[in-house]
Amino acid sequence: MKNDAKPDLRFRKNESLIRTVFKEMLSEMDYAKITVCALADRAQINRKTFYLHYASLDHLLAVLQLEIMEPSFALMEHSKFPDDLEKLVRHSLLFLLNASELEKKILSAKGNFPEGMSPEDYAREKFYKVCGRLPGCTPAESRIVVAFFSSCFWGISMQWLLDGHAVPLEDMVALTVNLISSGLHGLPAFRNALPNRTAP
């Protein structure tokens, strides 16, 4: 039994080491500058050991992003869309506001995900399962509505993160809900700039 346990323990230790070193490097430099070779050198492991755990750096990044986002996924499972739109937006933005600097760097890092779904893709699929078929919509229409919400909210929240939360939280919640529910027509400046249209 002891011999069987040793490889598992070594495997877990190496995975923990890879994650620790990756986070150290990400706190020191941009994600694009990190390489598997440099990470392996710092961790004092060979590259084959890294690839036993992750298919690529992007794979490692996606795993960490998904772990950070898990509280938001959990909230989705106990929410009703679109009734709880403001609650979902507020919770997610508040989470981003209170995230550590390292968590913000992990979330804002952009990777390529050839091995599978990106965190944004995963969030959208998770949301599909939670929402199911929306009232008054066909299944195809429901998927389009969810894709619209997830894509818009992901882009808005990541921009807010990159801008250092320049817009105050309460203003950001109102702006996000307004944009998602009404588009540009929901903004007075844009609404006033649109030409008056008469019905054909």
Side-chain angles (χ1 to χ4, degrees):
M1 292 294 292
K2 283 187 178 180
N3 288 338
D4 292 338
K6 284 181 181 178
D8 290 340
L9 179 60
R10 189 179 305 117
F11 187 89
R12 292 196 300 272
K13 283 184 175 180
N14 282 336
E15 181 164 14
S16 177
L17 177 62
I18 289 168
R19 286 169 170 243
T20 298
V21 172
F22 177 75
K23 291 175 181 178
E24 287 174 356
M25 295 178 76
L26 192 59
S27 67
E28 298 168 9
M29 63 189 77
D30 291 336
Y31 173 67
K33 295 182 179 178
I34 300 174
T35 65
V36 172
C37 184
L39 188 155
D41 285 346
R42 185 183 287 205
Q44 296 184 322
I45 59 173
N46 59 51
R47 282 181 291 175
K48 287 184 179 179
T49 300
F50 175 89
Y51 290 117
L52 285 174
H53 297 268
Y54 300 101
S56 66
L57 282 174
D58 289 332
H59 179 203
L60 171 55
L61 175 66
V63 167
L64 294 176
Q65 287 178 333
L66 290 172
E67 288 178 0
I68 293 170
M69 293 163 61
E70 189 55 41
S72 293
F73 296 149
L75 179 68
M76 286 181 189
E77 295 176 0
H78 298 90
S79 300
K80 187 176 180 181
F81 184 80
D83 298 354
D84 293 330
L85 174 60
E86 183 175 349
K87 182 175 80 172
L88 286 165
V89 168
R90 182 182 300 279
H91 171 87
S92 297
L93 293 179
L94 188 60
F95 173 77
L96 286 179
L97 185 65
N98 293 325
S100 69
E101 289 305 311
L102 178 58
E103 287 174 329
K104 291 174 183 177
K105 285 201 76 172
I106 291 171
L107 287 172
S108 60
K110 295 180 180 179
N112 297 309
F113 303 101
E115 295 86 11
M117 293 190 299
S118 70
E120 182 182 357
D121 295 331
Y122 184 85
R124 183 168 57 250
E125 289 298 319
K126 190 95 169 177
F127 213 40
Y128 284 150
K129 292 177 183 177
V130 171
C131 290
R133 181 171 173 176
L134 298 172
C137 295
T138 66
E141 289 170 341
S142 297
R143 288 193 295 273
I144 289 171
V145 171
V146 170
F148 168 77
F149 167 75
S150 17
S151 295
C152 286
F153 184 63
W154 182 270
I156 289 170
S157 57
M158 287 301 105
Q159 188 59 53
W160 188 57
L161 181 62
L162 290 171
D163 287 343
H165 316 301
V167 178
L169 176 64
E170 290 305 318
D171 293 345
M172 192 63 196
V173 171
L175 176 62
T176 303
V177 171
N178 200 14
L179 280 172
I180 290 173
S181 18
S182 303
L184 295 181
H185 287 271
L187 298 177
F190 284 94
R191 189 169 60 242
N192 295 337
L194 293 171
N196 291 326
R197 296 181 182 273
T198 56

